[in-house]
Every structure is written in C-alpha cells, then in structure tokens.
Amino acid sequence: MDTSVGSYTAKLTDGPLEGKTIRIDFLDSGDPQPRLEIPVESTGKRYLYLRAAGVEYASEDTDSRRPSAVDYRYLETLFD
C-alpha cells in the first residue's frame, strides 16, 4: 500500500480566482483540505476558499477513495 499523502487538483469555481486550478496536498488522513487560504502576491491579502460538493475521480486511479479533483467556493478576502 502506498503510504504517501499525494495531491489533487483544487478547482476554484467562483470569486476572484474563478476558473483557476491549483495542486494541493491531501491531509495526513488522506482527505482533501476543507479550506484553502491563497495568498495574493505582494498585496498582504489572502483569498479564502471552502470545499464544495463537486468531486471528480480519475478512472485510472488505483485508490478510488481519493479524488483527483475537488471544487472550492470563494468565501472572503482576508487582510494581513
């Protein structure tokens, strides 16, 4: 059994980064991240995205319990 954590594609479905995708590591438990704080370069702010219901599985994935892509919805902008 593969003990590496692995990663998946986070699909940003709305907000300021709508349509973008980023590669994210699974939690140590193997679950997708429940929230993402994405820093905006050189502005002192971060976009907060929360996990949504959309999940995709790659057909060639040998561990079908782990998704290959997960949707995230924009919640708010955080300022430092």
Side-chain angles (χ1 to χ4, degrees):
M1 178 179 206
D2 184 8
T3 58
S4 65
V5 174
S7 61
Y8 63 97
T9 300
K11 296 169 49 178
L12 309 176
T13 61
D14 60 359
L17 300 177
E18 181 177 357
K20 305 282 186 194
T21 61
I22 55 176
R23 205 75 185 142
I24 300 293
D25 289 335
F26 286 101
L27 296 171
D28 290 339
S29 65
D31 295 322
Q33 300 281 343
R35 59 186 271 155
L36 304 175
E37 287 187 25
I38 303 168
V40 178
E41 197 170 312
S42 73
T43 63
K45 64 181 175 181
R46 301 174 316 279
Y47 298 130
L48 177 60
Y49 279 80
L50 298 180
R51 185 175 164 192
V55 178
E56 296 176 20
Y57 294 88
S59 59
E60 69 276 359
D61 188 0
T62 58
D63 184 2
S64 62
R65 294 174 293 142
R66 287 189 177 177
S68 58
V70 176
D71 289 350
Y72 284 83
R73 305 274 330 241
Y74 173 75
L75 182 64
E76 65 181 329
T77 300
L78 305 170
F79 295 92
D80 292 333

